[in-house]
Amino acid sequence: MSKTDVKNEQSLRSFLADLKDNNELLEIDDQVDWNLEIGAIARRLCDIETKGTPTPAVIFNNIKDYPGGRFFTNTLASFRREAIALGMNPESKPTEIVKAFADRINTPIKPVEVDQADAACKENIVTGDDIDLLEMFPTPKWHEKDGHRYIGTYHAIIVKDPETGWTNWSLQRLGIESPNTTGMLIPRNTHCGSIYAKYEKLNKPMPMAVAIGMQPIDNIVAASGFPDQVDEVDMAGALMQEPIKQVRCETNDLMVPANAEIILEGEVLPTERHIEGPLGEYTGYYSDTRTEKPVFHVTCVTHRNNPIEQGSLEGVPVVDDHIMASVAQSGLCLNLLRDVLRIPGIKNVYFPPAATGWHMCIVSADRKGNPGQAQRISSAIWGSKLAATQNMANWVIVVEEDIDISDLNQVIWAVITRCDPERGIHIARRRSAHQLLPAVSTKERTVEHKPSSSVMIDGGFPEEWYVADKESIQPVVDWNGLDSALRTQANEVVNTNLENFKKD
């Protein structure tokens, strides 16, 4: 296939071509070990990026024990690559990317079905005893204490509601436990968990497909918090601004991305549980100890020639998932507040990657003439699908429109100088506890399912005295507020003297 064809085929390979064009792809041809070394390299690249030096995504072309095997990671571990995935300028600001996401999902686009002969994921079909996940793919062991090699860390799980026929995409971890089975974490209050509960009630196996190695948009929608009965594939089309190409599975009627690298087909039996875990998770901590969880039986594997397995290192922020979650959650929340609920004055929303991309929501809004707006915003968020399940967005900070919410220095300045803790901090008790968040004990969140709490911080001046004391609280102008001629002159002096400083 020519490079032109690859770039137009709606796949991971087309994204890799885009990364190459933007100098955002590192190819490592030295042999690396699937056991911990891939994870260590991914971790190092993420840490360098977090400290301010840009680093690329990485593909490993030479993996111990897997001749010809390839593995790709750090897919969206920077806002630059998130912008590339959305077809935007790599230098777009995080808030610009969020607005593009929020705007596009207002126009869902239905997928199209292609013939099997035109689906790259059908180039190889493996069934029965020929399936051996550990032999077929160079799945890494990411962390020393991980209980499994996790083939599912950056993928889409595809299932269908037995009552409504709604197809849901999600991202739940999959740890290999035998040649053709994986354990899987399906929190009961997720869409996938509620669908599985329906199959268990019917005492029927849940048909399931897993797509690995896709264009990033597919991963993004699978990991996002779209409402019940919304087809994620339609939202992928909205973000791509074109229909997603799908093909029917070999062993069930589920539809999967036609150009995915790897498709796993199979079923999850009702009531069956095996020991699974732990995994070094996106929270930066190992997940709960080894506990009984549902089992995915793989009955068919289809894959491209020379498939590229894809995965994501989890751990202390900032890694792949945190950037992806930041944009998706921010865009969904902005769309909710601005376009669905039409709360007045909403400017933008930002879920900081440093807060895992899931658990802190910062909202900028025009506060004038809108008393009680911070409480209205937090109540709307906590009552939505974004936060009602698993206690996402359990920290909400509302600031005024002059604050760049993607700059945490500005956010902290606003909170410290404008928030009186007694009047501006509100705790919401008895919300659901997130299954992986260690702020609540393992027993309380996984066994007893006890509720936890959330907090709203009003980082804006109180409306009633903002007007009366307006003159006394005018902030000093920042660089952008200075006279343009003064900025030009100051820039010249700074640049000249910095050059001389470097020469000395």
Side-chain angles (χ1 to χ4, degrees):
M1 181 174 287
S2 69
K3 183 177 180 181
T4 301
D5 290 334
V6 167
K7 286 184 70 65
N8 294 325
E9 75 170 5
Q10 213 180 73
S11 67
L12 174 59
R13 299 185 190 201
S14 65
F15 180 64
L16 295 179
D18 289 338
L19 293 184
K20 284 185 178 181
D21 289 345
N22 287 277
N23 198 29
E24 284 282 347
L25 180 64
L26 173 65
E27 295 198 54
I28 294 182
D29 295 323
D30 298 326
Q31 187 180 86
V32 298
D33 198 328
W34 56 264
N35 185 23
L36 302 180
E37 188 175 6
I38 286 177
I41 293 169
R43 176 79 260 175
R44 181 58 179 153
L45 289 169
C46 286
D47 287 350
I48 294 172
E49 176 81 36
T50 301
K51 288 178 170 59
T53 300
T55 60
V58 58
I59 185 167
F60 300 93
N61 294 324
N62 184 358
I63 302 170
K64 183 182 176 182
D65 301 328
Y66 293 90
R70 294 183 290 173
F71 191 88
F72 176 64
T73 190
N74 288 21
T75 309
L76 298 178
S78 74
F79 285 107
R80 299 183 309 280
R81 295 198 286 280
E82 184 90 29
I84 292 170
L86 287 165
M88 299 175 65
N89 186 326
E91 300 307 315
S92 298
K93 295 179 180 179
T95 48
E96 293 172 337
I97 301 172
V98 168
K99 283 188 174 180
F101 187 107
D103 291 342
R104 292 183 190 182
I105 61 175
N106 282 321
T107 311
I109 298 177
K110 289 291 182 183
V112 295
E113 183 174 358
V114 302
D115 293 335
Q116 295 210 1
D118 296 323
C121 71
K122 301 289 189 179
E123 290 173 343
N124 299 271
I125 300 175
V126 183
T127 59
D129 293 339
D130 291 330
I131 296 174
D132 190 330
L133 299 178
L134 286 174
E135 291 292 329
M136 296 171 73
F137 308 114
T139 302
K141 182 178 181 181
W142 293 103
H143 310 98
E144 183 179 359
K145 295 181 181 180
D146 287 352
H148 311 269
R149 294 166 67 178
Y150 279 85
I151 195 170
T153 54
Y154 211 76
H155 57 289
I157 287 177
I158 302 168
V159 297
K160 184 179 290 187
D161 189 314
E163 297 176 354
T164 67
W166 165 52
T167 298
N168 173 250
W169 288 18
S170 66
L171 197 165
Q172 322 290 341
R173 73 191 195 207
L174 300 169
I176 301 173
E177 64 170 34
S178 79
N180 63 354
T181 63
T182 78
M184 60 184 301
L185 173 67
I186 321 179
R188 63 175 188 163
N189 50 1
T190 62
H191 287 155
C192 185
S194 65
I195 290 172
Y196 178 52
K198 292 180 180 181
Y199 280 99
E200 285 200 306
K201 188 175 181 180
L202 295 169
N203 197 31
K204 292 182 178 181
M206 178 175 72
M208 188 170 110
V210 180
I212 301 170
M214 307 175 289
Q215 61 179 355
I217 293 300
D218 296 343
N219 299 106
I220 291 170
V221 298
S224 299
F226 288 103
D228 186 61
Q229 304 302 312
V230 171
D231 286 347
E232 281 80 8
V233 68
D234 296 357
M235 293 304 173
L239 293 172
M240 285 295 294
Q241 300 179 300
E242 64 181 30
I244 301 302
K245 297 173 183 176
Q246 292 191 295
V247 68
R248 198 169 300 278
C249 282
E250 296 291 310
T251 59
N252 56 49
D253 66 349
L254 295 171
M255 303 294 291
V256 295
N259 294 322
E261 296 291 322
I262 301 165
I263 301 292
L264 310 181
E265 301 178 17
E267 60 186 15
V268 184
L269 302 180
T271 71
E272 181 185 23
R273 301 291 187 270
H274 288 183
I275 294 295
E276 186 271 351
L279 170 67
E281 270 286 0
Y282 79 99
T283 59
Y285 301 86
Y286 282 97
S287 61
D288 53 338
T289 54
R290 294 173 61 79
T291 54
E292 292 188 339
K293 298 185 182 72
V295 183
F296 175 43
H297 293 261
V298 181
T299 57
C300 178
V301 177
T302 71
H303 64 82
R304 298 186 66 152
N305 294 330
N306 304 311
I308 304 169
E309 188 179 357
Q310 185 180 17
S312 174
L313 171 78
E314 306 294 345
V316 176
V318 175
V319 299
D320 213 344
D321 271 5
H322 302 140
I323 299 287
M324 180 176 72
S326 170
V327 171
Q329 299 309 107
S330 301
L332 284 165
C333 192
L334 174 60
N335 182 272
L336 169 75
L337 299 175
R338 183 194 66 184
D339 302 332
V340 177
L341 300 178
R342 299 184 180 180
I343 295 176
I346 299 297
K347 299 301 178 183
N348 215 327
V349 176
Y350 185 61
F351 282 67
T356 76
W358 293 98
H359 294 288
M360 176 179 285
C361 176
I362 306 171
V363 182
S364 62
D366 180 0
R367 307 288 297 278
K368 300 177 185 65
N370 294 307
Q373 190 185 42
Q375 289 90 335
R376 189 179 305 117
I377 289 169
S378 61
S379 295
I381 294 170
W382 290 335
S384 72
K385 179 355 180 122
L386 282 169
T389 59
Q390 300 194 75
N391 207 12
M392 299 298 187
N394 51 316
W395 290 72
V396 174
I397 301 175
V398 182
V399 296
E400 296 174 75
E401 61 180 324
D402 65 312
I403 299 300
D404 178 357
I405 54 177
S406 65
D407 183 344
L408 293 185
N409 288 326
Q410 290 194 35
V411 174
I412 292 170
W413 172 65
V415 169
I416 294 302
T417 60
R418 304 179 187 185
C419 176
D420 171 37
E422 183 178 356
R423 290 181 290 186
I425 297 179
H426 304 266
I427 295 177
R429 294 176 171 84
R430 300 190 64 77
R431 292 192 60 230
S432 60
H434 189 277
Q435 188 162 343
L436 296 176
L437 201 61
V440 180
S441 74
T442 301
K443 182 180 179 181
E444 287 180 321
R445 55 191 153 91
T446 63
V447 179
E448 298 174 350
H449 301 291
K450 287 186 176 180
S452 61
S453 46
S454 298
V455 63
M456 186 275 286
I457 300 176
D458 186 348
F461 295 116
E463 174 74 16
E464 64 272 16
W465 61 263
Y466 180 88
V467 176
D469 291 354
K470 187 175 182 179
E471 294 304 318
S472 67
I473 56 175
Q474 288 297 301
V476 178
V477 295
D478 61 9
W479 172 258
N480 293 323
L482 297 177
D483 177 79
S484 60
L486 179 58
R487 281 187 294 169
T488 300
Q489 181 179 341
N491 248 333
E492 291 177 356
V493 173
V494 169
N495 292 338
T496 300
N497 281 274
L498 280 179
E499 283 299 318
N500 292 334
F501 175 78
K502 292 175 182 177
K503 292 177 183 177
D504 293 342

